[in-house]
Amino acid sequence: MSRDIVIQCPDGQIKTVPLQGDRFIVGRSSTAELCFPDDAGLSRQHMVLERDGDDWTAQDLGSKNGTLVNNIPLRAKLKLKPGDRITAGHLAIVFDDKGGAARPAEGVVIFESGESDPPSTSTIFTSLEGALSSQTIVDRPGQHGAKQVEALIRAGQELAGRGTLADLFPRILDLAIEGVGAQRGVVMILEGERLEVKANKGEGFRISSAVRDRVIKEKASVLVRDAQLDEAFRERMSIVEQKVRTMMAVPLQTEQRIIGLIYVDSPNMFRAFTKDDLSLLTVMANVAAIRIEHARLSEVEAIERRMARDLEQAAEIQSSFLPSSAPVVAGADLAGYNAACRTVGGDYYDFFTYPNGRVAMVLGDVSGKGMPASLMMAGLQERVQVLADEPQNLAAVMNRLNKITCKKCPSNRFITFFFCVLDPGTGELAYCNAGHNPPVIVRANGAVEYVDGGGTVLGILSIANYSEYRAKLEPGDALAIYSDGVTEATNAKDEEFGDERFAEVLAANRQKSAAEIVAAVTQALTEFAAGSPQADDITLVVARRV
């Protein structure tokens, strides 16, 4: 039995994958049969689908974020049933055993037949080149030829107008049926390797795979003038059931490719289709295909324009969540910087000042990039704003923040977070770390130390317990809190900027202001990348005791 899986990708696209083989690994690794390198929720080798006789099984491969089947964690190898829904990373995968080629779609069945159609006096083939030659109906006199020319003109006029893609398919079908005097028909478009019905008039269509392949693969137009007299088609097309007597199938052909087909037929023999009808329908299909491609391009461009506008507005909103400037605090020099690798990002930083002269600094990094990460960042910022109000115990604040985040955070997402409070008068630094990169302290004499100690990331384990740690900044010392986009920035050779280079830049500029230190780091990153695209959000907070 043919088996498929239907995958909803992180960008919302749907793809169908036939299970033709015995083993399919899903993950970010390029060696995985189903590779999704941009899905941050997936492990390199996340899960595997394996054939077991006539059945298929699913098994998690020790992934970091786990696999769910029907919303239940996958703990061991599980035999799949039709309709089972698998969640891995940001992928939703539905197991389906109905088979691809024989599945009805809006009343249309493509059924398997022989490799080719034997020649028959009732079957005629042509091509777009043949239909556009000097021997076509356009150059032939007579009432029927005049009507066909009129049909072509009408098709050109009606298809030249504006309208949505969804409205275009029924209009194409109506023009095709009326142009050749058919009684019913269907327009089908290639979506990947599968033909999908976009418009139909009538139902119960059975189209031979031989006809489909002749049209799609060979760019041929097919006419069967009397199917009941044609040995090649009588058995293949269930003529007795459909009562089809005359039929045509032509490619929707642009200059570059075939995008689908138009099929029309008539159960009655008041008038059999002619070669002129085949030529007319072939030319009309070419006009329609070009119009479809233009409509597709227009819709894509419109969607891209809307998305660009939405992203610009989202970026403006997100920028309002971040400080416009660092606060002025007696005894401390502060600066912050953020650059999203896309229009919006998942990094967050902030400052909070208190009446007793202390200042809090926070920096969070949401897993992933783009809009999903930015939405989670907005939720994090809102919660931190409430919890950062004069905290007495940073561990208690972090415990509460983690519990709230676990309730709101998707199972395949998490947040690293660093929270510290500096007393500029004494230099005392209290901090709590939830899986974030250890910040760096550069002493006035150039020595580099890392702020150690911390707990697990936010959003994974609600019972996690965090601890508060302490350090001290002497006059002239600088503290740098950063996201991994700083140290993991890469150049054209795929080398990382790294902890060592970062520490060297900090030490070399330790006597400068906090803003100048930030500028020195960003300049060093720009020179190191040498034009390579930014792969992750970059965020940096610097505090000097002065």
Side-chain angles (χ1 to χ4, degrees), residues 47 61 68 81 84 95 191 201 225-226 235 241 337 381 388 398 414 424 433:
M47 62 159 294
L61 296 177
L68 302 178
K81 303 184 299 298
D84 277 348
F95 178 72
E191 301 288 355
K201 189 172 185 179
R225 290 186 292 190
D226 190 342
E235 296 299 328
E241 295 178 8
Y337 173 83
Q381 185 264 355
M398 195 71 82
F414 59 86
N433 193 339

Side-chain angles (χ1 to χ4, degrees), residues 26 42-43 45-49 57-69 73-78 86-89:
V26 181
L42 288 176
S43 297
Q45 292 195 341
H46 194 101
M47 62 159 294
V48 63
L49 298 169
T57 62
Q59 184 175 7
D60 187 87
L61 296 177
S63 64
K64 183 175 182 180
N65 295 319
T67 303
L68 302 178
V69 176
L74 183 60
R75 306 297 187 192
K77 183 179 291 188
L78 177 69
I86 304 167
T87 304

Side-chain angles (χ1 to χ4, degrees), residues 209-220:
S209 62
V211 171
R212 174 202 61 193
D213 293 343
R214 199 78 181 251
V215 172
I216 298 298
K217 296 180 179 180
E218 300 180 23
K219 302 181 181 180

Side-chain angles (χ1 to χ4, degrees), residues 10 27 47 50-51 71 114 138 143 199 205 273 279 324 348 398 402 411 428 435 462:
M47 62 159 294
E50 292 182 296
R51 187 188 297 275
N71 295 322
V138 176
Q143 183 178 3
F205 296 96
F273 294 138
S279 296
S324 57
Y348 162 66
M398 195 71 82
N402 178 57
S411 59
E428 291 294 328
S462 62

Side-chain angles (χ1 to χ4, degrees), residues 22 108 168 173 189-190 240 276 292 328 443 453 477:
D22 296 319
V108 179
L168 185 59
L173 182 59
I189 297 297
L190 280 170
V240 175
D276 287 346
I292 290 169
V328 176
R443 299 298 181 183
D477 291 349

Side-chain angles (χ1 to χ4, degrees), residues 212 282 288 394 397 424 453 479:
R212 174 202 61 193
T282 300
L394 297 187
V397 171
L479 170 71

Side-chain angles (χ1 to χ4, degrees), residues 150-204:
E150 183 181 342
L152 270 179
I153 294 173
R154 181 187 169 199
Q157 291 173 338
E158 291 201 20
L159 296 180
R162 292 185 176 273
T164 66
L165 195 57
D167 294 335
L168 185 59
F169 294 118
R171 195 183 319 157
I172 290 170
L173 182 59
D174 288 342
L175 289 167
I177 290 175
E178 293 174 16
V180 299
Q183 292 180 283
R184 60 182 202 155
V186 60
V187 174
M188 304 181 75
I189 297 297
L190 280 170
E191 301 288 355
E193 296 183 357
R194 186 188 298 277
L195 280 168
E196 299 287 348
V197 173
K198 297 300 181 181
N200 63 294
K201 189 172 185 179
E203 58 183 16

Side-chain angles (χ1 to χ4, degrees), residues 111-422:
F111 68 93
E112 294 300 324
S113 59
E115 295 183 358
S116 61
D117 296 314
S120 166
T121 56
S122 182
T123 303
I124 298 173
F125 300 98
T126 190
S127 64
L128 179 60
E129 291 75 13
L132 292 173
S133 69
S134 60
Q135 300 302 313
T136 62
I137 48 91
V138 176
D139 299 307
R140 297 178 186 176
Q143 183 178 3
H144 187 54
K147 287 183 178 180
Q148 291 179 316
V149 172
E150 183 181 342
L152 270 179
I153 294 173
R154 181 187 169 199
Q157 291 173 338
E158 291 201 20
L159 296 180
R162 292 185 176 273
T164 66
L165 195 57
D167 294 335
L168 185 59
F169 294 118
R171 195 183 319 157
I172 290 170
L173 182 59
D174 288 342
L175 289 167
I177 290 175
E178 293 174 16
V180 299
Q183 292 180 283
R184 60 182 202 155
V186 60
V187 174
M188 304 181 75
I189 297 297
L190 280 170
E191 301 288 355
E193 296 183 357
R194 186 188 298 277
L195 280 168
E196 299 287 348
V197 173
K198 297 300 181 181
N200 63 294
K201 189 172 185 179
E203 58 183 16
F205 296 96
R206 288 177 59 81
I207 303 175
S208 162
S209 62
V211 171
R212 174 202 61 193
D213 293 343
R214 199 78 181 251
V215 172
I216 298 298
K217 296 180 179 180
E218 300 180 23
K219 302 181 181 180
S221 297
V222 181
L223 161 63
V224 179
R225 290 186 292 190
D226 190 342
Q228 298 232 359
L229 299 179
D230 195 316
E231 283 287 333
F233 287 92
R234 183 168 62 240
E235 296 299 328
R236 294 181 182 181
M237 302 193 64
S238 301
I239 298 303
V240 175
E241 295 178 8
Q242 296 189 100
K243 300 179 181 178
V244 170
R245 295 297 297 270
T246 183
M247 56 77 66
M248 290 187 292
V250 300
L252 284 163
Q253 179 178 353
T254 66
E255 291 183 3
Q256 290 80 24
R257 61 194 183 105
I258 302 295
I259 65 171
L261 63 82
I262 298 176
Y263 169 92
V264 296
D265 63 27
S266 292
N268 300 311
M269 279 293 284
F270 293 116
R271 187 183 74 83
F273 294 138
T274 65
K275 186 174 182 180
D276 287 346
D277 291 325
L278 185 64
S279 296
L280 171 64
L281 190 61
T282 300
V283 176
M284 289 180 68
N286 174 239
V287 175
I290 295 172
R291 178 66 181 89
I292 290 169
E293 289 292 85
H294 287 171
R296 279 177 167 173
L297 181 60
S298 296
E299 290 198 358
V300 169
E301 290 176 345
I303 290 171
E304 289 178 347
R305 286 194 297 269
R306 288 197 299 270
M307 289 182 64
R309 287 196 300 268
D310 290 347
L311 282 173
E312 288 175 2
Q313 293 176 4
E316 291 177 7
I317 294 171
Q318 188 177 48
S319 66
S320 69
F321 296 156
L322 303 177
S324 57
S325 61
V328 176
V329 178
D333 178 21
L334 308 172
Y337 173 83
N338 169 262
C341 71
R342 299 180 184 175
T343 308
V344 292
D347 281 6
Y348 162 66
Y349 80 95
D350 212 340
F351 301 97
F352 302 93
T353 57
Y354 305 113
N356 59 11
R358 297 191 304 163
V359 59
M361 294 163 282
V362 300
L363 196 153
D365 184 354
V366 178
S367 64
K369 306 175 188 67
M371 187 62 73
S374 73
L375 293 174
M376 286 192 62
M377 180 273 229
L380 172 68
Q381 185 264 355
E382 181 181 2
R383 293 189 286 272
V384 172
Q385 289 283 335
V386 174
L387 296 175
D389 186 18
E390 191 64 30
Q392 299 300 320
N393 187 312
L394 297 187
V397 171
M398 195 71 82
N399 287 337
R400 188 176 177 191
L401 181 61
N402 178 57
K403 285 182 170 61
I404 298 172
T405 303
C406 284
K407 292 179 181 178
K408 304 291 185 180
C409 190
S411 59
N412 53 8
R413 294 276 181 172
F414 59 86
I415 301 170
T416 67
F417 191 70
F418 184 84
F419 192 156
C420 69
V421 177
L422 173 67

